[in-house]
Amino acid sequence: PHPMSSLNKVAPVADADLLREAQAPDLEALIAFYVTTQGTQWSNREGWLCDEDIQYWHGVRIASERVSRLHLAGNCVSGCLNELASLTELMYLNLAGNEIQGTLEPLAGLKHLKHVDLRVNQLQGALPLELIRMKCRNGGSLLLHSNPGFTLPVNFSTLCDEGGSLTWHFEHLDLSDCSLVGGCSLEAFQMLASIGSFSFKGNAINGGDLVNFLIGLEGVSTLTTTKYNKTTTTKCTVLGLIEEVDAYNEGLKGTLGALECLPLLKTVVLSSNALEGGLDPLRALANLTHLELGDNTLCGSLESLGSLVALEILVLRNNCLFGTLDPIGQLVQLRVLNVFDNKLEGGLDALQ
């Protein structure tokens, strides 16, 4: 039996028995988690299994007699999340920088969970819809950066209200460098894109095609555009809120036409990909201040850039662009310009 001396000093025996009874499910879950994740090898295991009062266990915090926080980041924890499913009052979980394996399913039933940080582990599998549903209600963060492989959920119909809409309360969803597999439907991407802070850099969603990367389309049949004047279907309205696209060196292919449905874009960084075609779709992006398209195979003239009067940074190096620099002379806010290694004609007089 574990000693209870520290508890008995501050509470009568009857109260201690009630507390012990209230914490019994959490105590059992934490002991099982310790055993199954090789607790004897943890970097810091102070208090664990040495004191039955779990509030003194390293990384454990109590609220209303139940475990509310578990913080064991960078602690050599190795194993699965299965045993944590019994911590029904858990609100905060940080196991970043360990060797956590398996799936996220054990967390799907933790209805009070607000902040989850599992970055740099070995998790994989589908993102549970129930976990997404819970995050929609509770908000907070879900940080999964640098795990080996997740499948994006593509059917969000069960998350929507009767009117077919869904209000996200995420503060931050980080799926960057997760080797995301499978496809991402238009509906799924729209909902993900509506999150306040959504990061998915370092993946190749839907085979690396720029259109699919941005809006999850099998083709462009569900997106209608008229050149230089964006017109989209109702389904694309959420995408119009995106202000930044940063996908440097992601192996993306296709044309810039996919950007026409994102009229509020201020920053576009798509250098070092395999993009082709002309620059005409950029005419629709009047809010652009930062544009980097270097090291692609883009072709055509610079004529469409003349209307982007808010541009401050323009990088077009190492493409197949031709014509004169005259349109750039209209960019009075421009501070940084790199157009080397193209087929452009004329001197710098047009920029004065």
Side-chain angles (χ1 to χ4, degrees):
H2 298 289
M4 291 294 294
S5 56
S6 59
L7 180 61
N8 290 334
K9 291 179 181 178
V10 297
V13 174
D15 290 343
D17 289 341
L18 291 175
L19 177 60
R20 192 160 52 243
E21 182 179 354
Q23 292 183 345
D26 293 347
L27 175 62
E28 183 178 346
L30 290 176
I31 291 175
F33 182 69
Y34 179 90
V35 171
T36 59
T37 59
Q38 305 179 43
T40 56
Q41 305 299 315
W42 291 1
S43 300
N44 188 339
R45 52 192 176 93
E46 182 180 356
W48 283 74
L49 307 193
C50 297
D51 193 330
E52 198 168 349
D53 191 347
I54 57 180
Q55 67 175 312
Y56 299 116
W57 293 13
H58 169 69
V60 177
R61 295 293 179 270
I62 304 298
S64 301
E65 302 178 353
R66 299 295 303 276
V67 173
S68 62
R69 295 169 64 95
L70 182 60
H71 189 138
L72 295 171
N75 203 46
C76 296
V77 181
S78 178
C80 299
L81 299 171
N82 296 352
E83 311 301 339
L84 300 185
S86 299
L87 299 180
T88 54
E89 299 300 315
L90 192 65
M91 299 177 63
Y92 176 100
L93 175 64
N94 189 337
L95 294 173
N98 286 290
E99 297 180 9
I100 304 300
Q101 305 162 9
T103 73
L104 295 172
E105 285 293 342
L107 305 183
L110 302 182
K111 298 181 180 180
H112 301 288
L113 199 56
K114 186 174 179 66
H115 177 87
V116 178
D117 190 344
L118 292 167
R119 291 173 291 180
V120 195
N121 277 287
Q122 299 172 17
L123 291 158
Q124 55 189 331
L127 294 177
L129 280 176
E130 187 57 40
L131 181 61
I132 299 295
R133 182 182 293 110
M134 177 267 295
K135 297 303 293 180
C136 291
R137 291 193 300 262
N138 298 346
S141 302
L142 179 58
L143 310 180
L144 300 172
H145 166 75
S146 293
N147 279 276
F150 285 110
T151 302
L152 282 174
V154 295
N155 181 10
F156 284 89
S157 60
T158 58
L159 301 180
C160 298
D161 58 27
E162 293 182 357
S165 62
L166 174 64
T167 301
W168 291 90
H169 298 287
F170 275 105
E171 295 171 9
H172 190 185
L173 175 61
D174 186 350
L175 295 172
S176 56
D177 297 312
C178 283
S179 302
L180 289 171
V181 295
C184 181
S185 70
L186 174 61
E187 180 186 29
F189 190 91
Q190 285 177 265
M191 292 184 175
L192 292 171
S194 68
I195 296 171
S197 178
F198 170 43
S199 176
F200 61 102
K201 291 176 60 177
N203 296 292
I205 298 174
N206 294 346
D209 183 83
L210 179 60
V211 176
N212 291 337
F213 178 80
L214 291 174
I215 55 179
L217 297 176
E218 293 295 330
V220 294
S221 58
T222 58
L223 173 66
T224 58
T225 61
T226 57
K227 207 168 189 179
Y228 316 145
N229 182 20
K230 180 189 71 70
T231 304
T232 66
T233 63
T234 303
K235 288 185 177 181
C236 291
T237 55
V238 175
L239 291 172
L241 302 177
I242 298 176
E243 296 184 355
E244 177 177 344
V245 172
D246 185 344
Y248 174 87
N249 193 26
E250 296 289 350
L252 297 175
K253 56 187 178 181
T255 72
L256 298 177
L259 299 179
E260 288 185 303
C261 68
L262 309 177
L264 299 184
L265 277 176
K266 296 180 179 179
T267 298
V268 173
V269 178
L270 292 171
S271 293
S272 298
N273 284 287
L275 301 174
E276 56 188 5
L279 303 180
D280 286 351
L282 299 178
R283 294 178 186 263
L285 309 181
N287 296 299
L288 271 183
T289 61
H290 185 156
L291 177 62
E292 295 190 31
L293 297 171
D295 302 305
N296 284 284
T297 55
L298 297 166
C299 61
S301 73
L302 305 182
E303 181 183 355
S304 56
L305 300 181
S307 61
L308 305 182
V309 295
L311 265 183
E312 300 178 11
I313 299 173
L314 176 60
V315 178
L316 298 172
R317 66 176 182 273
N318 193 25
N319 280 283
C320 300
L321 300 168
F322 54 80
T324 71
L325 293 171
D326 292 349
I328 295 180
Q330 304 174 48
L331 308 181
V332 295
Q333 304 295 328
L334 200 62
R335 298 182 291 105
V336 177
L337 173 65
N338 186 340
V339 292
F340 292 116
D341 294 324
N342 282 283
K343 301 177 181 179
L344 297 167
E345 301 174 353
L348 300 179
D349 293 343
L351 306 183
Q352 296 179 356

PDB file of all heavy atoms in Angstrom, residues 204-219:
ATOM      1  N   ALA A 204       2.163  16.915 -48.826  1.00  0.00           N
ATOM      2  CA  ALA A 204       1.866  16.919 -50.264  1.00  0.00           C
ATOM      3  C   ALA A 204       0.449  16.420 -50.458  1.00  0.00           C
ATOM      4  O   ALA A 204       0.204  15.350 -50.999  1.00  0.00           O
ATOM      5  CB  ALA A 204       2.853  16.050 -51.027  1.00  0.00           C
ATOM      6  N   ILE A 205      -0.504  17.197 -49.957  1.00  0.00           N
ATOM      7  CA  ILE A 205      -1.907  16.798 -50.000  1.00  0.00           C
ATOM      8  C   ILE A 205      -2.360  16.616 -51.444  1.00  0.00           C
ATOM      9  O   ILE A 205      -2.063  17.426 -52.316  1.00  0.00           O
ATOM     10  CB  ILE A 205      -2.785  17.849 -49.299  1.00  0.00           C
ATOM     11  CG1 ILE A 205      -2.381  17.957 -47.823  1.00  0.00           C
ATOM     12  CG2 ILE A 205      -4.259  17.509 -49.414  1.00  0.00           C
ATOM     13  CD1 ILE A 205      -3.085  19.061 -47.086  1.00  0.00           C
ATOM     14  N   ASN A 206      -3.098  15.536 -51.686  1.00  0.00           N
ATOM     15  CA  ASN A 206      -3.697  15.257 -52.993  1.00  0.00           C
ATOM     16  C   ASN A 206      -2.672  15.226 -54.119  1.00  0.00           C
ATOM     17  O   ASN A 206      -2.859  15.801 -55.168  1.00  0.00           O
ATOM     18  CB  ASN A 206      -4.783  16.297 -53.305  1.00  0.00           C
ATOM     19  CG  ASN A 206      -5.958  16.188 -52.370  1.00  0.00           C
ATOM     20  OD1 ASN A 206      -6.100  15.199 -51.666  1.00  0.00           O
ATOM     21  ND2 ASN A 206      -6.780  17.194 -52.328  1.00  0.00           N
ATOM     22  N   GLY A 207      -1.553  14.571 -53.873  1.00  0.00           N
ATOM     23  CA  GLY A 207      -0.594  14.331 -54.939  1.00  0.00           C
ATOM     24  C   GLY A 207       0.226  15.523 -55.349  1.00  0.00           C
ATOM     25  O   GLY A 207       0.929  15.479 -56.350  1.00  0.00           O
ATOM     26  N   GLY A 208       0.165  16.621 -54.590  1.00  0.00           N
ATOM     27  CA  GLY A 208       1.027  17.745 -54.869  1.00  0.00           C
ATOM     28  C   GLY A 208       0.517  18.723 -55.904  1.00  0.00           C
ATOM     29  O   GLY A 208       1.202  19.678 -56.229  1.00  0.00           O
ATOM     30  N   ASP A 209      -0.683  18.535 -56.450  1.00  0.00           N
ATOM     31  CA  ASP A 209      -1.212  19.484 -57.410  1.00  0.00           C
ATOM     32  C   ASP A 209      -1.627  20.765 -56.691  1.00  0.00           C
ATOM     33  O   ASP A 209      -2.258  20.723 -55.641  1.00  0.00           O
ATOM     34  CB  ASP A 209      -2.429  18.884 -58.121  1.00  0.00           C
ATOM     35  CG  ASP A 209      -2.975  19.822 -59.180  1.00  0.00           C
ATOM     36  OD1 ASP A 209      -2.440  19.821 -60.295  1.00  0.00           O
ATOM     37  OD2 ASP A 209      -3.928  20.556 -58.870  1.00  0.00           O
ATOM     38  N   LEU A 210      -1.257  21.930 -57.239  1.00  0.00           N
ATOM     39  CA  LEU A 210      -1.524  23.183 -56.541  1.00  0.00           C
ATOM     40  C   LEU A 210      -3.007  23.405 -56.307  1.00  0.00           C
ATOM     41  O   LEU A 210      -3.418  23.844 -55.227  1.00  0.00           O
ATOM     42  CB  LEU A 210      -0.939  24.360 -57.326  1.00  0.00           C
ATOM     43  CG  LEU A 210      -1.180  25.742 -56.703  1.00  0.00           C
ATOM     44  CD1 LEU A 210      -0.563  25.806 -55.313  1.00  0.00           C
ATOM     45  CD2 LEU A 210      -0.628  26.833 -57.583  1.00  0.00           C
ATOM     46  N   VAL A 211      -3.849  23.096 -57.297  1.00  0.00           N
ATOM     47  CA  VAL A 211      -5.290  23.268 -57.107  1.00  0.00           C
ATOM     48  C   VAL A 211      -5.770  22.417 -55.938  1.00  0.00           C
ATOM     49  O   VAL A 211      -6.459  22.882 -55.044  1.00  0.00           O
ATOM     50  CB  VAL A 211      -6.063  22.889 -58.393  1.00  0.00           C
ATOM     51  CG1 VAL A 211      -7.566  22.962 -58.165  1.00  0.00           C
ATOM     52  CG2 VAL A 211      -5.659  23.813 -59.532  1.00  0.00           C
ATOM     53  N   ASN A 212      -5.390  21.150 -55.958  1.00  0.00           N
ATOM     54  CA  ASN A 212      -5.812  20.258 -54.879  1.00  0.00           C
ATOM     55  C   ASN A 212      -5.181  20.641 -53.556  1.00  0.00           C
ATOM     56  O   ASN A 212      -5.785  20.492 -52.493  1.00  0.00           O
ATOM     57  CB  ASN A 212      -5.452  18.817 -55.233  1.00  0.00           C
ATOM     58  CG  ASN A 212      -6.277  18.284 -56.386  1.00  0.00           C
ATOM     59  OD1 ASN A 212      -7.365  18.780 -56.640  1.00  0.00           O
ATOM     60  ND2 ASN A 212      -5.753  17.307 -57.088  1.00  0.00           N
ATOM     61  N   PHE A 213      -3.946  21.105 -53.619  1.00  0.00           N
ATOM     62  CA  PHE A 213      -3.256  21.544 -52.403  1.00  0.00           C
ATOM     63  C   PHE A 213      -4.026  22.668 -51.729  1.00  0.00           C
ATOM     64  O   PHE A 213      -4.161  22.713 -50.521  1.00  0.00           O
ATOM     65  CB  PHE A 213      -1.850  22.006 -52.775  1.00  0.00           C
ATOM     66  CG  PHE A 213      -1.036  22.520 -51.626  1.00  0.00           C
ATOM     67  CD1 PHE A 213      -0.412  21.643 -50.762  1.00  0.00           C
ATOM     68  CD2 PHE A 213      -0.877  23.878 -51.430  1.00  0.00           C
ATOM     69  CE1 PHE A 213       0.360  22.107 -49.707  1.00  0.00           C
ATOM     70  CE2 PHE A 213      -0.113  24.356 -50.382  1.00  0.00           C
ATOM     71  CZ  PHE A 213       0.515  23.465 -49.525  1.00  0.00           C
ATOM     72  N   LEU A 214      -4.578  23.575 -52.516  1.00  0.00           N
ATOM     73  CA  LEU A 214      -5.266  24.733 -51.959  1.00  0.00           C
ATOM     74  C   LEU A 214      -6.720  24.458 -51.626  1.00  0.00           C
ATOM     75  O   LEU A 214      -7.215  24.853 -50.583  1.00  0.00           O
ATOM     76  CB  LEU A 214      -5.199  25.908 -52.936  1.00  0.00           C
ATOM     77  CG  LEU A 214      -3.826  26.539 -53.134  1.00  0.00           C
ATOM     78  CD1 LEU A 214      -3.881  27.580 -54.240  1.00  0.00           C
ATOM     79  CD2 LEU A 214      -3.351  27.170 -51.845  1.00  0.00           C
ATOM     80  N   ILE A 215      -7.439  23.773 -52.498  1.00  0.00           N
ATOM     81  CA  ILE A 215      -8.881  23.639 -52.282  1.00  0.00           C
ATOM     82  C   ILE A 215      -9.393  22.220 -52.405  1.00  0.00           C
ATOM     83  O   ILE A 215     -10.600  21.987 -52.377  1.00  0.00           O
ATOM     84  CB  ILE A 215      -9.667  24.563 -53.229  1.00  0.00           C
ATOM     85  CG1 ILE A 215      -9.288  24.308 -54.672  1.00  0.00           C
ATOM     86  CG2 ILE A 215      -9.445  26.004 -52.868  1.00  0.00           C
ATOM     87  CD1 ILE A 215     -10.045  25.162 -55.677  1.00  0.00           C
ATOM     88  N   GLY A 216      -8.508  21.247 -52.521  1.00  0.00           N
ATOM     89  CA  GLY A 216      -8.931  19.861 -52.481  1.00  0.00           C
ATOM     90  C   GLY A 216      -9.802  19.406 -53.614  1.00  0.00           C
ATOM     91  O   GLY A 216     -10.643  18.523 -53.429  1.00  0.00           O
ATOM     92  N   LEU A 217      -9.670  19.966 -54.800  1.00  0.00           N
ATOM     93  CA  LEU A 217     -10.518  19.582 -55.921  1.00  0.00           C
ATOM     94  C   LEU A 217      -9.947  18.386 -56.659  1.00  0.00           C
ATOM     95  O   LEU A 217      -8.747  18.254 -56.815  1.00  0.00           O
ATOM     96  CB  LEU A 217     -10.645  20.743 -56.903  1.00  0.00           C
ATOM     97  CG  LEU A 217     -11.318  22.010 -56.372  1.00  0.00           C
ATOM     98  CD1 LEU A 217     -11.265  23.079 -57.438  1.00  0.00           C
ATOM     99  CD2 LEU A 217     -12.752  21.723 -55.996  1.00  0.00           C
ATOM    100  N   GLU A 218     -10.819  17.500 -57.146  1.00  0.00           N
ATOM    101  CA  GLU A 218     -10.388  16.457 -58.072  1.00  0.00           C
ATOM    102  C   GLU A 218     -10.039  17.098 -59.412  1.00  0.00           C
ATOM    103  O   GLU A 218      -9.140  16.682 -60.111  1.00  0.00           O
ATOM    104  CB  GLU A 218     -11.494  15.427 -58.257  1.00  0.00           C
ATOM    105  CG  GLU A 218     -11.790  14.604 -57.013  1.00  0.00           C
ATOM    106  CD  GLU A 218     -10.622  13.720 -56.618  1.00  0.00           C
ATOM    107  OE1 GLU A 218      -9.858  13.303 -57.505  1.00  0.00           O
ATOM    108  OE2 GLU A 218     -10.462  13.481 -55.407  1.00  0.00           O
ATOM    109  N   GLY A 219     -10.776  18.121 -59.781  1.00  0.00           N
ATOM    110  CA  GLY A 219     -10.515  18.923 -60.983  1.00  0.00           C
ATOM    111  C   GLY A 219     -10.983  20.319 -60.647  1.00  0.00           C
ATOM    112  O   GLY A 219     -11.065  20.682 -59.483  1.00  0.00           O
TER     113      GLY A 219
END
